[in-house]
Structure formats: structure tokens, C-alpha cells
């Protein structure tokens, strides 16, 4: 009986230990996937490139339509702009073929892409132009999906109870036209159950669907995401991390840039206090959203990024303070060692002087040896004692130097350990800052690149609108690979309300006179009044925002 009880306890410990390790292993795989994200993107691009080698001019119009449809499916959650390009080609082909079904399919797909990229008015206009009564039965699921996702995208940016009701309405309509045995039907039914808080029913169904499914299945990420969502709503934190990590890893390996798992997982880690992991996942999610041009996710991630980035910077500042304290302690210990070495050196000189004096005394005693034999014997005994004392001091000094040397080596090893620890915690910038100035240049370049990317996401037509204010022959052409150049960056800061040349010079690391020269040159090239030029720059984007 006792042996059976011990076996049962061992089995329980093993089971819980395995569960913990399993989650840790999944998170390790996610970290590897994030690290190798570009590799998966490259595989996706190579696959698309190989497919594009098919010569479209050798195809009939129907075949070319299907060819473009295949490329749209490849790009849909990878590069929205490219997907839009091929759907627009299909619109033209469908119009030439006078096939209403093909035209409606392309319009629905374009409307869906427009809503994901933030073009809600264009998306809504396309959907409303389609008469549902005249729509082919086979396209009704596409119609309801497009409407449902339109309201999901709209609600993500402007939460509204009316939008949520519309999402539920179109999901119900979709369930009414789907085959009840299809996977799409089951997933939509599960989403409805989750909305109505039937978590046990939904979880059971999802686990049944997940059984035997591989992570390269297109629906794997969605199923694990929904499981993570249920676990989050039922406060099962370990399962939340597990399922969101599985979903995010699957998305990354399939080069799916329009995903939500990394965003959700970043917030989970932030709430758990793991700011480093939250920061890494947030950065990865923002990169994906910008790459795919999924506008509603970009806005959501920007809000989340500002929160997590603030916490991350505070953590970095705290670590930097701790590092400064460690360096101060090392400096004080080094100073103590220097004082100790000086003290030992003075003691050695003193011993050397005493030895010299003793030698002189010994010589005098030797001359008086015949007359004072007894005194000489006593002096010889004292001399022997002093020699022994000197020997002890020499040994002490040697040992002290050895200890000093060993301690210096320990300090050096400690410094190396600090550097390694900083590297392990992703403190490359701290290490490089201690070693050289290259880090500053790299960080500045990264800062400007991030500034350009975020600014152009806010004002995508800034370069075009700014050039419209200049005379044609003086308009600015940005070099290949650049987003903004120095002149555009100065006026981008002015557009953001930073009009003080001193602040602009400090941010861009130029002299004040250089900033004045750029601003003066810009006013001189203006097609409008010099006095009104910068005021009009500050109005760029206002009309589009009002629209």
C-alpha cells in the first residue's frame, strides 16, 4: 500500500512537471520563431516567386482570373497592397468576360481588403453596391463574412455596441448558409458560443477540432487563438500563454502578418510583469501589421506599444541605475586596492631601511666582537630574530600581492560576468555604449527610421502633399530605401507642432544654423506665400483626417 501511494505521488509530480515544461517548450519555440521570422518570410516570398514564373500571357482570361485569385490568397494576410493589386486585375477581367459571379466575388474580396487596411468608406461603398437578392448562392457566405469582418475591423478602432450587434447578426446569417459539417461553420458556431459565454461547450468543441491537427493547417492558429481567448476569460493563465503562443508560432511559420495572437500574448506578459517578453512580442506584432498594412491592427498595437514601451524604458532605467551602482562599488574597491598597494610599498621601503641599519649595526658589532664576545652573541641572536621577522614580512608581502592580484582578477571576471549578463538580457546597447560610439549612431539611425515609419503611418501622403507646396523643379524626390530625408524630417517635426529650431536641432543632431538654412530654403522654394508656408505644412493631412 505504501509503495502504491509513493508511485501515485511520483506520477502526479511528473505530470505537473511535464505540463510546466510543455508550456515552457512552446514559449521557447515561439522565441525561436520570432528570432527566425525573416527566414519564414523568405520562404513565402520564394514560393510566390516560383508561382509567378508562370507566364500569364499564355493563359486564357478565365485561367488568368484563377491565377490572380491564387496570388490574392497568397498575399491576403501577407501583403494587403499586393492582394489588392491582383483583385483589381480580376475586376477588370470579370468585367471583360461579362461574368457577374466573378465580378461579385472580386468586389467582395476587395471590400474585405479595404476594411482591413482602414479604407472603411471605400469598403462600405463596394458592399452596398452589391444587391444581395441578385447574388449567387455560392457567394452568400463571402457576402456575410465580408460584412461581419467589416464591422469587426471598424469596432476594433471605434468600439460601439451597435457594431457588435451587427457582427452577431451577420455571423448568424453566415451560419444559416454554411454547411453544418464544414470547419468554417463549426468555428463560427464556436465564436457565437464564446460571445454568449458558453465557454465549456466551445472549449470542448475546439479541443475536438484540434485533435490530430498539425500547426501548418491554416485553421490551427485560429483554433488555438480561440482556446487562448476562452482560457483568458476563465483565468487559466498557463493555458492562455500556451494557446496564444501556439497560435502566434503557427502564424509566424506560415508568414501570416495579419494576426492577433502576438498582441494578446504581449498584453498577458505585460500584466504578469514580464516586460521584456511583452516588449519583444509587441515590436514583432507592430512590424507584422506595418508590413501587411493592416491599419486597424497597427492602431491597436500603437496604443499597446506606448504602454509597454514606457514600462520597458523604466525597467531599462532601473537596470542602468543598478549597473552604475555596481560600477561605483568596483571603482571604490579599486581605489582601496591602490591605497593598499601604496601602503605595502611604503612598508617595504621601511623594512628595507631597517635592514640597512641592521647591516651597519652588524658590521660595528663584528669589529667589537673580540672585546665584547658576550654582547656579540646577544646581538647575533637579535639579528637572527630580525632576519626571521624579515622573512615573515617578505612572505606576507608576497601573499598580499598574490591576494591583490587574485582580487583584481576576480574584479575583472566580475566585470566580464556583468557584460555577459547584460548580453543575455539583451543589453547589447549598454555594452556597445561602454565600448564605442557605434551604438549611438545605430540607435540614432533606428530612432529616425522608427520616426519616419510611425510618422508616415499617421500621414501617408505627407511627401506628396509637401511637394505640392513647392515649385515643380524644386520638389523633393526621396532616395530608394529611404522614407524621409533630412529636409522632409525637419518639416515633419514642424507638422507635429515642434516649431522651435533649437528643439529640432537637438532631435536631429544638426547645428542651429543648419536648421535655419533648411527652413529658409524651404520657404524660398514654396509655391505659396513664404509667410504662410510653414502654417500650410502644419495643415497637411487635416483634410484627409476630416474625410
Amino acid at each position: 500500500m505504501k509503495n502504491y501511494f509513493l508511485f501515485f505521488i511520483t506520477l502526479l509530480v511528473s505530470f505537473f512537471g511535464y505540463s510546466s515544461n510543455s508550456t515552457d517548450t512552446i514559449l521557447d519555440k515561439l522565441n525561436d520563431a520570432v528570432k527566425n521570422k525573416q527566414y519564414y518570410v523568405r520562404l513565402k516570398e520564394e514560393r510566390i516567386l516560383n508561382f509567378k514564373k508562370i507566364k500569364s500571357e499564355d493563359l486564357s482570361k478565365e485561367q488568368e482570373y484563377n491565377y490572380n485569385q491564387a496570388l490574392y490568397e497568397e498575399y491576403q494576410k501577407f501583403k494587403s497592397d499586393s492582394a489588392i493589386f491582383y483583385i483589381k486585375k480580376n475586376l477588370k477581367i470579370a468585367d471583360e468576360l461579362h461574368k457577374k459571379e466573378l465580378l461579385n466575388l472580386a468586389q467582395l474580396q476587395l471590400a474585405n481588403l479595404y476594411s482591413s487596411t482602414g479604407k472603411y468608406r471605400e469598403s462600405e461603398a463596394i458592399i452596398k453596391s452589391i444587391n444581395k437578392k441578385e447574388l449567387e448562392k455560392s457567394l452568400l457566405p463571402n457576402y456575410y463574412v465580408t460584412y461581419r469582418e467589416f464591422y469587426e475591423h471598424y469596432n476594433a478602432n471605434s468600439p460601439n455596441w451597435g457594431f457588435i450587434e451587427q457582427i452577431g447578426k451577420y455571423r448568424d446569417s453566415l451560419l444559416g448558409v454554411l454547411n453544418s459539417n464544414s470547419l468554417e461553420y463549426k468555428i463560427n458556431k464556436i465564436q457565437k458560443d464564446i460571445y454568449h459565454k458558453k465557454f465549456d461547450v466551445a472549449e470542448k468543441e475546439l479541443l475536438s477540432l484540434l485533435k490530430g491537427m498539425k500547426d501548418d493547417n491554416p485553421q490551427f492558429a485560429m483554433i488555438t487563438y480561440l482556446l487562448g481567448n476562452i482560457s483568458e476569460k476563465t483565468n487559466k493563465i498557463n493555458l492562455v500563454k500556451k494557446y496564444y503562443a501556439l497560435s502566434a508560432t503557427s502564424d509566424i511559420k506560415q508568414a501570416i502578418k495579419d494576426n492577433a495572437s502576438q498582441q494578446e500574448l504581449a498584453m498577458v506578459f505585460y500584466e504578469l510583469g514580464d516586460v521584456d517578453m511583452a516588449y519583444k512580442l509587441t515590436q514583432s506584432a507592430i512590424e507584422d501589421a506595418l508590413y501587411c498594412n493592416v491599419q486597424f491592427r497597427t492602431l491597436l498595437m500603437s496604443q499597446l506599444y506606448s504602454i509597454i514601451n514606457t514600462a520597458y524604458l523604466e525597467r531599462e532605467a532601473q537596470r542602468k541605475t543598478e549597473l552604475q551602482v555596481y560600477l561605483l562599488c568596483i571603482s571604490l574597491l579599486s581605489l582601496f586596492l591602490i591605497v593598499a598597494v601604496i601602503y605595502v610599498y611604503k612598508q617595504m621601503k621601511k623594512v628595507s631601511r631597517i635592514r640597512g641599519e641592521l647591516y651597519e649595526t652588524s658590521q660595528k658589532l663584528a669589529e667589537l666582537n673580540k672585546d665584547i664576545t658576550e654582547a656579540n652573541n646577544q646581538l647575533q641572536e637579535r639579528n637572527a630574530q630580525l632576519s626571521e621577522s624579515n622573512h615573515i614580512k617578505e612572505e606576507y608581502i608576497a601573499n598580499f600581492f598574490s591576494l591583490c592580484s587574485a582580487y583584481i582578477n576576480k574584479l575583472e571576471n566580475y566585470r566580464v560576468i556583468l557584460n555577459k549578463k547584460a548580453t543575455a538580457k539583451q543589453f547589447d546597447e549598454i555594452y556597445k555604449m561602454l565600448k564605442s560610439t557605434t551604438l549611438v549612431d545605430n540607435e540614432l539611425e533606428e530612432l529616425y527610421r522608427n520616426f519616419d515609419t510611425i510618422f508616415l503611418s499617421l500621414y501617408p501622403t505627407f511627401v506628396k502633399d509637401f511637394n505640392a507646396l513647392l515649385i515643380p523643379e524644386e520638389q523633393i524626390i526621396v532616395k530608394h530605401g529611404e522614407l524621409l530625408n533630412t529636409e522632409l524630417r525637419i518639416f515633419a517635426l514642424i507638422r507635429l507642432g515642434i516649431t522651435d529650431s533649437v528643439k529640432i536641432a537637438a532631435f536631429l543632431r544638426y547645428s542651429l544654423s543648419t536648421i535655419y538654412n533648411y527652413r529658409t530654403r524651404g520657404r524660398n522654394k514654396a509655391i505659396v506665400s513664404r509667410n504662410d508656408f510653414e502654417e500650410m505644412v502644419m495643415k497637411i493631412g487635416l483634410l484627409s483626417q476630416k474625410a
Side-chain angles (χ1 to χ4, degrees):
M1 185 68 182
K2 184 177 179 181
N3 291 336
Y4 178 81
F5 177 76
L6 287 174
F7 171 77
F8 180 74
I9 294 296
T10 305
L11 189 64
L12 282 176
V13 171
S14 300
F15 173 77
F16 287 113
Y18 172 78
S19 297
S20 175
N21 291 334
S22 178
T23 302
D24 291 340
T25 302
I26 291 168
L27 291 173
D28 288 339
K29 289 181 179 178
L30 172 60
N31 279 317
D32 289 339
V34 172
K35 184 179 178 182
N36 297 307
K37 188 162 62 172
Q38 290 306 315
Y39 167 74
Y40 299 113
V41 170
R42 192 161 58 251
L43 289 180
K44 175 91 170 178
E45 289 174 340
E46 287 174 359
R47 184 170 69 250
I48 294 173
L49 188 61
N50 289 331
F51 185 75
K52 284 183 177 179
K53 289 179 181 179
I54 299 173
K55 294 182 178 180
S56 58
E57 59 266 20
D58 297 333
L59 304 174
S60 66
K61 287 294 181 182
E62 288 84 355
Q63 288 172 332
E64 188 179 352
Y65 186 96
N66 293 330
Y67 172 79
N68 293 334
Q69 177 71 15
L71 285 171
Y72 153 77
E73 290 171 359
E74 288 287 347
Y75 279 120
Q76 184 184 9
K77 293 185 179 296
F78 182 57
K79 283 185 180 178
S80 295
D81 293 340
S82 298
I84 289 171
F85 172 78
Y86 287 105
I87 285 302
K88 284 184 176 179
K89 290 182 73 173
N90 271 357
L91 282 172
K92 185 177 178 182
I93 293 170
D95 191 51
E96 291 173 358
L97 292 172
H98 303 291
K99 290 195 175 182
K100 191 67 175 176
E101 183 176 359
L102 297 182
L103 182 64
N104 287 335
L105 174 60
Q107 285 181 321
L108 288 170
Q109 290 169 340
L110 183 60
N112 186 271
L113 288 170
Y114 275 162
S115 70
S116 70
T117 54
K119 297 179 180 179
Y120 301 115
R121 291 200 172 188
E122 293 88 339
S123 177
E124 188 176 24
I126 293 172
I127 304 173
K128 286 183 176 180
S129 70
I130 299 172
N131 189 339
K132 188 181 77 170
K133 294 179 181 178
E134 297 177 0
L135 199 64
E136 297 78 1
K137 252 188 175 182
S138 60
L139 293 181
L140 281 175
N142 301 71
Y143 179 81
Y144 292 131
V145 166
T146 302
Y147 250 122
R148 187 201 68 199
E149 293 191 358
F150 169 79
Y151 284 109
E152 285 177 351
H153 297 158
Y154 217 136
N155 187 66
N157 290 331
S158 304
N160 184 295
W161 181 252
F163 295 156
I164 295 173
E165 288 182 340
Q166 290 295 326
I167 293 168
K169 169 188 169 183
Y170 283 104
R171 183 186 291 118
D172 289 343
S173 299
L174 178 62
L175 289 170
V177 296
L178 287 173
N179 184 337
S180 60
N181 293 322
S182 68
L183 182 58
E184 188 178 0
Y185 175 89
K186 292 176 181 178
I187 290 177
N188 277 276
K189 179 66 169 61
I190 289 166
Q191 287 176 315
K192 182 177 179 180
D193 289 339
I194 293 173
Y195 174 74
H196 290 294
K197 298 183 179 180
K198 298 178 180 179
F199 300 131
D200 292 338
V201 175
E203 184 178 20
K204 183 179 179 181
E205 186 67 25
L206 284 168
L207 289 172
S208 175
L209 292 175
L210 190 64
K211 198 174 295 181
M213 183 180 287
K214 295 183 179 180
D215 62 358
D216 59 353
N217 188 302
Q219 294 296 341
F220 180 86
M222 171 59 78
I223 292 171
T224 48
Y225 172 80
L226 292 174
L227 280 167
N229 187 256
I230 292 172
S231 300
E232 189 171 8
K233 292 179 186 298
T234 54
N235 296 316
K236 299 174 182 177
I237 299 301
N238 205 42
L239 290 178
V240 172
K241 291 192 290 183
K242 173 184 175 181
Y243 287 123
Y244 278 152
L246 284 170
S247 179
T249 304
S250 177
D251 281 335
I252 291 170
K253 287 185 175 181
Q254 294 182 70
I256 293 175
K257 299 295 184 179
D258 180 7
N259 60 73
S261 304
Q262 290 185 78
Q263 173 186 335
E264 297 292 343
L265 193 56
M267 183 55 75
V268 169
F269 277 111
Y270 172 73
E271 290 174 354
L272 292 174
D274 192 343
V275 178
D276 291 335
M277 191 65 177
Y279 181 76
K280 181 196 293 186
L281 290 170
T282 304
Q283 275 198 321
S284 178
I286 287 179
E287 287 171 5
D288 287 350
L290 290 172
Y291 187 92
C292 190
N293 191 25
V294 187
Q295 191 71 25
F296 79 98
R297 292 209 189 281
T298 303
L299 291 173
L300 288 173
M301 288 308 303
S302 297
Q303 297 168 5
L304 179 62
Y305 179 78
S306 62
I307 297 169
I308 293 177
N309 187 51
T310 300
Y312 181 79
L313 291 175
E314 288 175 356
R315 178 71 62 85
E316 290 299 297
Q318 181 183 351
R319 289 172 176 168
K320 187 176 180 181
T321 302
E322 291 174 356
L323 184 61
Q324 288 173 342
V325 171
Y326 293 147
L327 290 173
L328 179 62
C329 291
I330 291 171
S331 300
L332 291 173
L333 288 171
S334 300
L335 181 62
F336 170 75
L337 283 173
I338 291 169
V339 171
V341 168
I342 292 172
Y343 173 76
V344 171
Y345 176 73
K346 287 184 176 180
Q347 288 296 102
M348 287 179 65
K349 287 190 71 175
K350 185 177 180 181
V351 169
S352 180
R353 188 178 68 253
I354 292 172
R355 185 179 291 174
E357 291 173 356
L358 287 173
Y359 178 76
E360 291 177 2
T361 303
S362 180
Q363 290 295 323
K364 291 177 181 179
L365 288 173
E367 293 176 359
L368 298 172
N369 185 45
K370 293 180 181 180
D371 299 328
I372 46 173
T373 303
E374 185 177 356
N376 186 46
N377 290 334
Q378 292 175 354
L379 286 172
Q380 285 178 351
E381 183 178 355
R382 179 183 286 181
N383 190 46
Q385 292 173 351
L386 288 171
S387 296
E388 183 179 357
S389 175
N390 287 338
H391 178 70
I392 292 170
K393 289 179 179 179
E394 287 174 355
E395 288 292 322
Y396 169 77
I397 291 166
N399 286 330
F400 187 83
F401 269 112
S402 177
L403 287 171
C404 288
S405 176
Y407 196 71
I408 290 170
N409 287 335
K410 287 181 180 179
L411 289 175
E412 175 61 16
N413 290 335
Y414 187 63
R415 185 185 67 81
V416 171
I417 290 169
L418 282 177
N419 286 334
K420 287 183 178 179
K421 183 178 180 181
T423 302
K425 294 291 184 177
Q426 298 184 345
F427 295 122
D428 292 338
E429 60 274 20
I430 297 175
Y431 180 74
K432 291 177 182 177
M433 193 180 298
L434 293 171
K435 289 295 181 181
S436 69
T437 60
T438 304
L439 180 62
V440 176
D441 297 333
N442 291 337
E443 288 299 322
L444 278 173
E445 184 180 346
E446 181 68 18
L447 172 65
Y448 295 150
R449 185 164 58 250
N450 285 336
F451 171 79
D452 294 348
T453 302
I454 294 172
F455 179 80
L456 288 177
S457 71
L458 294 173
Y459 304 101
T461 62
F462 177 78
V463 177
K464 177 183 174 183
D465 295 343
F466 181 77
N467 277 329
L469 298 176
L470 305 179
I471 58 179
E473 58 270 21
E474 293 292 345
Q475 290 185 354
I476 299 169
I477 299 175
V478 181
K479 294 179 181 178
H480 179 70
E482 287 185 345
L483 296 175
L484 298 175
N485 58 20
T486 301
E487 185 172 0
L488 286 171
R489 209 169 281 132
I490 290 169
F491 287 99
L493 289 169
I494 291 172
R495 175 62 189 86
L496 293 175
I498 304 171
T499 58
D500 188 346
S501 294
V502 175
K503 292 181 180 178
I504 295 173
F507 178 75
L508 296 179
R509 296 208 167 197
Y510 283 105
S511 67
L512 191 58
S513 61
T514 301
I515 302 302
Y516 280 130
N517 288 339
Y518 271 114
R519 293 178 74 169
T520 303
R521 194 185 310 160
R523 287 193 290 269
N524 291 337
K525 295 189 297 184
I527 201 171
V528 298
S529 169
R530 293 178 77 256
N531 295 330
D532 298 335
F533 176 65
E534 290 191 359
E535 184 178 346
M536 294 189 73
V537 170
M538 295 183 72
K539 291 180 180 179
I540 288 176
L542 287 178
L543 292 176
S544 62
Q545 287 173 10
K546 289 177 182 178

